[in-house]
Amino acid sequence: MLTTWLEQFKQNSQISLLDLHLAQFLVNKIDSENEITAKRFAFLILSLSMEVRAGHVCLDITRLEQQNIEPQIWLELHSPAINDWVNVLNIAANKQVVSYGDQLAPLMFIENKLYFQRMWLDERFVAQYFNQSQLDVTSDSNLKPILDQLFTDQSETIDWQKIAVAIALTRKVAIISGGPGTGKTTTVAKILAGLELNSPSIRIVAAAPTGKAASRLTESLSRAIEQLSFESLNIKTEAVTLHRLLGAKIDNRSFSYNKHNQLHIDVLVVDEASMVDLNMMARILEALPASARLILLGDKDQLSSVEAGAVFGDLCHFISNGYSQSRAEELSRLTGYRIPIADQPATTITDSICLLKKSYRFNESSGIGLLANAVKEGQYLNVKKLIVDDSLQDVNYYELSSNQTYQAVLNDCVEHYKDYLNAIKHHQNNDIATILTKFAECRLLCAVREGKFGVEGLNKQIEQLLAKHNLIKLNQRDQWYVGRPIMILRNSTSLGLYNGDIGITLTAEHDSSKLRVYFPFSDGTIKGFSPYRLPEHETAYAMTIHKSQGSEFDHVNIILPTEFSPLLNRSLLYTAITRAKKTVSIYTNEKILERVVKSQIHRESGLVDQLKKLGKIEI
């Protein structure tokens, strides 16, 4: 009976065959003769699997209510209350299939949250690391002169970049969040300069989740350090991907550097930290020596990682709490500012966090900046006013109510992509750097992958339109052609190509009869590869908003589907808008836009609760 019910459940739910076998295996372990108990336990396991696949770390059983479960399944489970779920888990605990944290078991049940063992271990380890890694590591006696060298402005208005640098120079962990243009890279450059001035032989490594983000970090960090007026600095600015940093093996599931073989570094800077999932964060922390400093950079309002967990967002949960009294006094001594003291019980992690508040890219009249803030705050009425404000030259809105508007976004993409395609035609020697730069000026961002409004459909439409305008030549027998942009979808450590890397197909530099796909690398070099050697990839005129994280474009077109999906939320739209440096155009309809702005993603985890419990300190 249970097997039949599980098969029926699979047909009506997004569960895999692996989920099904796992549920059957664990149900057999509890050896219950009660059919309702077996069904309820199987339902919990399958629900947990679906939650993890959706990005949650655990399943909160208090959310398993009638309105959230299909009516037929609810009836077959005999309308369980929370006590019924707890009773089922108690039965499983008696068979060592579930544990309450005192020992390990396949499933862990802690404070109404159900975890797979691996996720619980990772979350507990991450919580303990950030709680135990807050001890002062540097005397402040010689830091004030260094801070005054780095920040010469004597204004009484708090410069939060200076606060962030002071935090990083006095703690093993610094968590720095800021929106677009708030100077995160400049801040890190000054942190690294301060560390080097204090300890000249320090070993520093910068990393980011994707190849594109690493390349951008290398470029921006190098530029920021050059602008500092210190001749004796010797800071390595080449950033690497996290997979390369940890020495990802061919299976991409294990790393050369781990708790048994730790990294030989003193400082690790991780940019775009909001993209780092729980498992990757745990692996990074395991590979760090106990003495190493960690600096996390990101935007707490951006999309969380594709995989389970929202570690950076959870850490930044405490960002508005204020500092403990001793910490506020220390930062005041170092910076000369009057730092406010927390008006509520603080946690140790609070004293290592800083929010950069001033945008240097967008001024008070910037449409992109105003729109991003309104979306971030969920203020739909403000968003509505901004998108129809003709005085804002950098924001465009198009009501997606007809095929004519759909065609307009395609035409706009063709207009922007003409530049890089003409650069290919007019440069006999393939000035590859110029071509790559021109392609990076514009991008069409989508919320979904499939359908008319998804990456796959839009890439085909744009491709056909470019061919119609004689800008590219399609080959019916082969997908490859000069000018084809592609995005890597799977890491290849042997080639040095990683998920998210973007390259352009051109004729080979020394043999025009062959094609090569050229990619920019974080060290400034450009390398070409045979199309047939590349790992999994796709055409990249349009890309998902998730894939765009870590990138910036002069012009961004955003298209949203005409049917609402749980994938749509304000973090997604905020991330898309903040990819734009000069102009952003949004193609959607008012009904969808309103639902998106009013929808916020929630990632279930216990990290915030663990940090509160572990790190309580007096104000």
Side-chain angles (χ1 to χ4, degrees):
M1 285 292 290
L2 178 65
T3 303
T4 304
W5 182 77
L6 286 172
E7 287 292 345
Q8 291 173 346
F9 189 87
K10 182 178 184 300
Q11 292 174 9
N12 298 320
S13 306
Q14 295 180 339
I15 62 171
S16 67
L17 193 59
L18 183 61
D19 295 333
L20 209 66
H21 287 308
L22 176 63
Q24 185 74 69
F25 175 76
L26 293 178
V27 168
N28 290 341
K29 284 284 186 182
I30 70 170
D31 194 27
S32 175
E33 296 179 0
N34 186 304
E35 184 182 340
I36 299 303
T37 297
K39 282 186 177 180
R40 286 174 175 172
F41 189 49
F43 179 82
L44 287 172
I45 297 164
L46 295 174
S47 296
L48 177 55
S49 290
M50 288 190 288
E51 289 287 271
V52 170
R53 197 174 295 116
H56 302 282
V57 173
C58 55
L59 170 69
D60 185 344
I61 66 166
T62 63
R63 291 173 56 222
L64 293 176
E65 300 172 341
Q66 183 173 355
Q67 62 264 34
N68 300 325
I69 300 172
E70 288 184 23
Q72 183 60 35
I73 293 174
W74 182 257
L75 289 174
E76 290 178 3
L77 294 172
H78 288 212
S79 306
I82 187 168
N83 288 339
D84 297 315
W85 298 121
V86 172
N87 289 337
V88 168
L89 292 169
N90 285 338
I91 292 169
N94 290 333
K95 299 290 185 177
Q96 284 78 53
V97 177
V98 170
S99 169
Y100 301 115
D102 51 338
Q103 60 185 11
L104 293 181
L107 300 171
M108 310 297 292
F109 184 50
I110 316 292
E111 296 182 355
N112 288 331
K113 290 181 171 64
L114 186 64
Y115 297 80
F116 287 122
Q117 181 197 109
R118 176 179 59 84
M119 307 292 284
W120 181 76
L121 287 172
D122 282 348
E123 185 178 87
R124 185 180 66 165
F125 174 68
V126 169
Q128 290 173 342
Y129 178 90
F130 283 104
N131 180 60
Q132 295 170 3
S133 298
Q134 307 307 311
L135 300 178
D136 292 343
V137 292
T138 308
S139 167
D140 66 3
S141 59
N142 61 332
L143 292 184
K144 190 176 188 311
I146 291 175
L147 283 165
D148 290 340
Q149 273 185 285
L150 294 167
F151 297 89
T152 56
D153 187 2
Q154 300 300 314
S155 170
E156 292 184 5
T157 304
I158 294 179
D159 183 342
W160 289 101
Q161 289 190 13
K162 189 173 184 180
I163 303 299
V165 175
I167 286 171
L169 294 182
T170 54
R171 291 288 172 108
K172 273 180 58 178
V173 170
I175 300 160
I176 302 167
S177 177
T182 52
K184 294 188 290 292
T185 309
T186 300
T187 302
V188 169
K190 291 186 177 183
I191 289 171
L192 301 186
L195 290 170
E196 169 116 341
L197 289 169
N198 198 50
S199 306
S201 60
I202 202 163
R203 295 168 296 180
I204 300 168
V205 173
T210 66
K212 183 64 178 176
S215 180
R216 255 195 65 227
L217 179 59
T218 297
E219 182 182 348
S220 56
L221 194 55
S222 176
R223 191 165 55 243
I225 289 172
E226 283 177 4
Q227 292 174 353
L228 297 178
S229 55
F230 297 100
E231 296 181 1
S232 59
L233 292 180
N234 183 29
I235 302 171
K236 179 183 176 184
T237 58
E238 181 187 349
V240 298
T241 64
L242 292 174
H243 282 85
R244 184 177 165 194
L245 169 77
L246 296 178
K249 296 182 180 179
I250 294 175
D251 61 8
N252 279 327
R253 294 182 179 276
S254 57
F255 301 100
S256 299
Y257 292 100
N258 48 52
K259 60 185 176 183
H260 303 296
N261 179 36
Q262 294 185 317
L263 295 160
H264 302 290
I265 61 176
D266 299 309
V267 181
L268 175 62
V269 177
V270 178
D271 194 19
E272 298 291 348
S274 65
M275 298 169 65
V276 181
D277 60 81
L278 175 63
N279 177 263
M280 176 57 84
M281 184 64 77
R283 303 294 78 78
I284 293 168
L285 301 182
E286 281 181 344
L288 278 180
S291 59
R293 296 174 186 259
L294 174 66
I295 300 165
L296 298 181
L297 285 176
D299 184 345
K300 65 181 179 63
D301 298 301
Q302 273 192 34
L303 279 168
S304 301
S305 56
V306 175
E307 302 298 326
V311 179
F312 190 75
D314 285 345
L315 294 172
C316 290
H317 171 84
F318 305 95
I319 208 160
S320 61
N321 283 17
Y323 300 105
S324 65
Q325 182 170 343
S326 60
R327 185 59 161 157
E329 290 172 353
E330 179 187 32
L331 293 174
S332 295
R333 283 197 310 273
L334 287 170
T335 64
Y337 301 124
R338 182 173 294 179
I339 307 300
I341 298 170
D343 57 2
Q344 55 186 307
T347 59
T348 52
I349 191 70
T350 308
D351 285 346
S352 290
I353 301 175
C354 185
L355 175 65
L356 303 179
K357 301 176 182 180
K358 180 180 178 180
S359 176
Y360 296 87
R361 182 189 305 168
F362 304 126
N363 59 33
E364 293 179 358
S365 62
S366 162
I368 295 174
L370 292 170
L371 183 62
N373 283 329
V375 169
K376 177 178 68 177
E377 299 298 331
Q379 299 171 347
Y380 174 68
L381 292 179
N382 199 7
V383 169
K384 191 175 177 181
K385 288 178 184 177
L386 291 168
I387 61 175
V388 296
D389 188 342
D390 292 336
S391 68
L392 300 178
Q393 300 298 310
D394 53 349
V395 172
N396 302 298
Y397 173 75
Y398 302 93
E399 182 72 17
L400 194 57
S401 55
S402 67
N403 192 56
Q404 186 176 358
T405 313
Y406 181 81
Q407 191 62 38
V409 70
L410 300 177
N411 292 337
D412 192 66
C413 289
V414 168
E415 281 300 312
H416 279 105
Y417 290 144
K418 274 182 181 178
D419 288 345
Y420 95 91
L421 291 169
N422 285 331
I424 293 174
K425 289 182 179 179
H426 297 152
H427 286 74
Q428 297 295 325
N429 298 321
N430 274 356
D431 184 353
I432 301 171
T434 299
I435 293 166
L436 288 166
T437 300
K438 284 188 174 295
F439 178 70
E441 289 176 355
C442 173
R443 196 71 82 251
L444 174 60
L445 303 183
C446 316
V448 295
R449 289 198 54 78
E450 299 174 352
K452 181 179 180 180
F453 302 97
V455 168
E456 294 173 4
L458 284 160
N459 272 321
K460 288 179 182 177
Q461 293 282 350
I462 293 169
E463 214 168 38
Q464 290 169 4
L465 199 55
L466 288 170
K468 185 178 177 181
H469 285 75
N470 296 317
L471 291 166
I472 60 173
K473 292 182 180 180
L474 297 178
N475 187 337
Q476 292 183 346
R477 293 174 297 175
D478 192 348
Q479 62 181 331
W480 293 102
Y481 55 85
V482 171
R484 183 190 179 200
I486 68 112
M487 174 186 284
I488 298 297
L489 300 178
R490 182 169 295 182
N491 296 339
S492 171
T493 52
S494 60
L495 296 180
L497 296 174
Y498 296 92
N499 187 357
D501 287 352
I502 290 180
I504 303 288
T505 310
L506 303 168
T507 54
E509 288 184 278
H510 305 296
D511 187 348
S512 60
S513 66
K514 295 180 181 179
L515 294 180
R516 291 288 182 271
V517 186
Y518 290 92
F519 293 85
F521 279 69
S522 57
D523 61 358
T525 62
I526 296 172
K527 297 179 184 178
F529 301 88
S530 166
Y532 309 104
R533 290 185 63 204
L534 298 177
E536 186 181 351
H537 56 270
E538 67 183 3
T539 305
Y541 295 112
M543 62 195 290
T544 63
I545 297 168
H546 271 96
K547 292 287 187 184
S548 75
Q549 284 187 271
S551 299
E552 289 180 345
F553 312 99
D554 287 345
H555 311 284
V556 167
N557 290 334
I558 303 166
I559 188 166
L560 301 179
T562 51
E563 296 293 328
F564 188 76
S565 157
L567 294 172
L568 303 177
N569 58 74
R570 63 172 174 260
S571 292
L572 187 84
L573 182 56
Y574 170 82
T575 301
I577 292 168
T578 54
R579 299 310 90 208
K581 292 192 289 185
K582 294 182 179 178
T583 61
V584 62
S585 298
I586 302 175
Y587 295 78
T588 184
N589 64 58
E590 195 172 309
K591 183 179 176 182
I592 291 295
L593 182 62
E594 181 175 6
R595 288 194 67 180
V596 170
V597 173
K598 291 182 176 179
S599 299
Q600 182 58 304
I601 193 169
H602 169 73
R603 287 276 175 99
E604 197 65 58
S605 85
L607 184 55
V608 170
D609 290 338
Q610 288 200 55
L611 288 168
K612 286 179 180 177
K613 189 182 298 182
L614 289 169
K616 280 189 178 179
I617 57 177
E618 296 300 320
I619 298 177

